[in-house]
Amino acid sequence: MPTAPLIPNPSPARGEGGRHHGRLRFANRPYLLILLQLAWLGWLQAFPVALDSDDALNFAHGVTHFSVLEFSPHFPGYPAFIWLARLINLLVDDPARAVQWASLLGSSLLAPLAALLAVKLWQRPSLLAPVWLLVLALPLTPTLALSGLSDGPALAAWLGSLLALQQRRIALAGLLLGLLLALRPSYFVLALLPLWLGLAQDGTRVRFVLPIALVGLTSLLFVWQADGWAYFSEGRRFTDGHFTLWGNTAAAHGDRLLSWARTFNDQLTPLWPLAVGALLMLPLWQRSKDHTAALSPLWTLYWLVLLFWTLFGQNPDNPRHLAPVTLLGIVLLAGWLPRRGEWPVAVAGLLLLAATFTQPRPPAMVQAAKLAEKTCPALVTQWGVRLLRETTALPVTDGWYKGDAALALSQGACRLSRRPIAASEMPTAVRQHWFAPRFAAEPGLWLAIPSLQTPHKESDKKHRKSTKNRQDN
């Protein structure tokens, strides 16, 4: 079977008519999906506005004063996300709310864009509902929406550029690709396939490249006016630190690959190797089935590139870094669905979506900070150090500095961590409090509070029993 073009020619949607016509009616009239999307958006709006990471705090600072050197925000600056947050801030006059709403706005587009891309790639309108519902049901999606970070808008620009290329809207695809790189420059790997597809179109290269160049030049001037040549020095320092010191990447620490395996298990269930195997077999499966809408093997190769970039260049402690490979994987695997399997998958997506709904509440970081302010004289942590220093009255010691951390703990400081803290790691006996995440893709937190009334060994025993009970639950 000859390889299909990278951008397929327009053709009638497959599967129309016959016994499938009634099933496609809902997909071709997605009013219920739009209403469900609006309900999902309203549910997330009910969550209190709260920053729960240093990165989100840096973005909030960047809304009022932009300087990469002052970590407002951190490198590489994310100029388009700052522009979007500033526009929203004109309406709300609250930088924290502005960055959270910017994330929410971009993340709310992920499900419809992924579904439309799957429909266009596989030329099957009936894929709209199952893909839309599956993406909406991912714990990653509400996590990105409330993170106050640039991931959601950047992923929306990425999916939008791929969709625009499939629709042969070359100038729009170039504009969205430029915005992708301006929203989150670290997503440059995501730009490889749309860049290749756009440049492969004869006679339209100028229309494709010009918007990218204009957005890139505007972004460069924006960061230049704030920091000048020092921006590039900060970029070199930040990149070196990410890959060698504090980034927790497998490129510098090989054992982080095991952490990625745990993250995959937690986010995608232990069945994720089956999905990876299916993606690798995708080109052979298309040949065996003689699909008229077969994709180029370049799509599978592109997904593999994203996977290796995630494994070796990203931090497994942050499940949100799985979003690109997960979204593209769902779009590509949608082609495996048999005609009779589309609606069972849609129903399963709806049930999974219902399981993600939870009562609106502040993130674990905010809850832990409130308790720490009431019960702790000081705090030692490696997470949200700047955020806690600016939002609480507590003296906060950065846990990366072992000597300072040991001294603070010996003087009665509490310890905040993403993992259970054994009593033997503390100089005195402790009581531990667990703050559950709102969604499975968010981190939970443990707060260890010194307890002089509890013997050390007894505290350690109680801690192990409590941890085992929680894990069993």
Side-chain angles (χ1 to χ4, degrees):
M1 184 189 71
T3 302
L6 297 179
I7 301 180
N9 293 318
S11 61
R14 300 170 59 220
E16 299 283 2
R19 66 174 182 268
H20 299 295
H21 179 72
R23 295 180 181 180
L24 292 175
R25 186 176 301 164
F26 176 75
N28 291 328
R29 298 177 181 178
Y31 306 122
L32 293 179
L33 288 174
I34 295 175
L35 290 175
L36 181 61
Q37 182 79 32
L38 292 176
W40 180 85
L41 194 60
W43 166 61
L44 291 180
Q45 286 278 20
F47 281 77
V49 175
L51 304 178
D52 66 342
S53 69
D54 283 347
D55 289 349
L57 178 67
N58 294 340
F59 281 125
H61 285 312
V63 173
T64 55
H65 171 67
F66 181 87
S67 174
V68 171
L69 298 182
E70 300 176 24
F71 270 59
S72 122
H74 52 286
F75 183 84
Y78 311 88
F81 186 73
I82 296 298
W83 302 337
L84 176 60
R86 285 183 173 181
L87 286 175
I88 296 174
N89 195 51
L90 294 176
L91 302 176
V92 301
D93 195 25
D94 180 0
R97 187 180 298 273
V99 295
Q100 184 164 310
W101 282 17
S103 294
L104 183 58
L105 177 64
S107 301
S108 66
L109 299 175
L110 296 181
L113 286 174
L116 291 171
L117 179 60
V119 167
K120 190 66 178 178
L121 282 178
W122 296 107
Q123 301 178 36
R124 288 170 57 180
S126 54
L127 289 177
L128 185 69
V131 174
W132 191 317
L133 291 171
L134 283 178
V135 173
L136 210 58
L138 288 173
L140 283 168
T141 310
T143 299
L144 295 177
L146 298 181
S147 65
L149 303 176
S150 63
D151 302 61
L155 289 168
W158 171 55
L159 293 173
S161 67
L162 289 172
L163 180 61
L165 284 167
Q166 300 306 309
Q167 298 172 339
R168 297 183 181 277
R169 299 178 180 178
I170 305 301
L172 176 60
L175 176 61
L176 291 172
L177 187 56
L179 288 175
L180 160 67
L181 295 173
L183 282 162
R184 193 168 180 83
S186 57
Y187 271 1
F188 68 93
V189 178
L190 275 66
L192 294 179
L193 181 61
L195 188 63
W196 176 273
L197 296 178
L199 294 177
Q201 304 304 302
D202 294 331
T204 60
R205 290 172 184 168
V206 174
R207 283 194 294 144
F208 178 69
V209 172
L210 185 59
I212 301 175
L214 290 176
V215 174
L217 180 61
T218 304
S219 301
L220 181 60
L221 291 176
F222 180 71
V223 298
W224 176 269
Q225 57 84 28
D227 297 320
W229 285 107
Y231 171 82
F232 299 99
S233 300
E234 169 62 14
R236 184 169 59 252
R237 184 202 68 83
F238 188 93
T239 304
D240 289 344
H242 174 76
F243 284 102
T244 61
L245 186 59
W246 41 261
N248 287 335
T249 63
H253 311 282
D255 60 339
R256 303 303 287 165
L257 290 175
L258 296 177
S259 299
W260 270 120
R262 290 192 292 271
T263 301
F264 272 86
N265 287 340
D266 293 341
Q267 299 301 316
L268 305 175
T269 78
L271 299 178
W272 63 267
L274 297 179
V276 174
L279 284 166
L280 296 180
M281 294 295 294
L282 185 60
L284 298 177
W285 172 75
Q286 292 180 117
R287 289 179 179 273
S288 67
K289 295 293 184 180
D290 195 28
H291 275 243
T292 58
L295 295 181
S296 165
L298 187 63
W299 285 85
T300 300
L301 178 62
Y302 176 55
W303 183 85
L304 275 176
V305 171
L306 294 185
L307 177 63
F308 280 103
W309 168 71
T310 301
L311 293 179
F312 290 95
Q314 302 298 322
N315 185 354
D317 291 333
N318 295 321
R320 60 186 173 85
H321 293 311
L322 285 178
V325 293
T326 304
L327 291 173
L328 184 60
I330 289 176
V331 170
L332 297 181
L333 287 175
W336 281 75
L337 285 177
R339 299 290 175 180
R340 296 180 182 275
E342 291 164 350
W343 290 104
V345 171
V347 172
L350 192 59
L351 294 176
L352 290 173
L353 176 60
T356 64
F357 283 98
T358 183
Q359 183 178 357
R361 64 181 188 272
M365 176 64 77
V366 173
Q367 299 179 55
K370 288 182 178 179
L371 180 60
E373 278 196 295
K374 296 177 181 178
T375 58
C376 301
L379 194 62
V380 174
T381 184
Q382 293 173 256
W383 310 101
V385 175
R386 185 183 184 187
L387 176 69
L388 291 167
R389 285 173 176 170
E390 294 192 17
T391 57
T392 70
L394 291 172
V396 180
T397 300
D398 191 340
W400 284 106
Y401 301 98
K402 304 300 183 182
D404 293 346
L407 178 61
L409 292 173
S410 68
Q411 295 174 347
C414 299
R415 184 173 176 182
L416 185 66
S417 177
R418 289 188 180 181
R419 61 175 180 81
I421 305 166
S424 58
E425 299 178 34
M426 301 288 289
T428 62
V430 295
R431 294 177 289 110
Q432 297 214 40
H433 294 265
W434 163 247
F435 299 92
R438 297 173 296 184
F439 316 107
E442 280 188 345
L445 290 172
W446 294 85
L447 179 64
I449 302 175
S451 175
L452 299 180
Q453 288 75 28
T454 306
H456 194 97
K457 292 183 178 179
E458 181 181 347
S459 174
D460 199 18
K461 181 178 179 182
K462 287 182 178 180
H463 159 67
R464 289 195 298 268
K465 182 177 180 182
S466 174
T467 302
K468 183 178 184 303
N469 290 337
R470 289 189 177 95
Q471 290 174 346
D472 291 340
N473 290 336

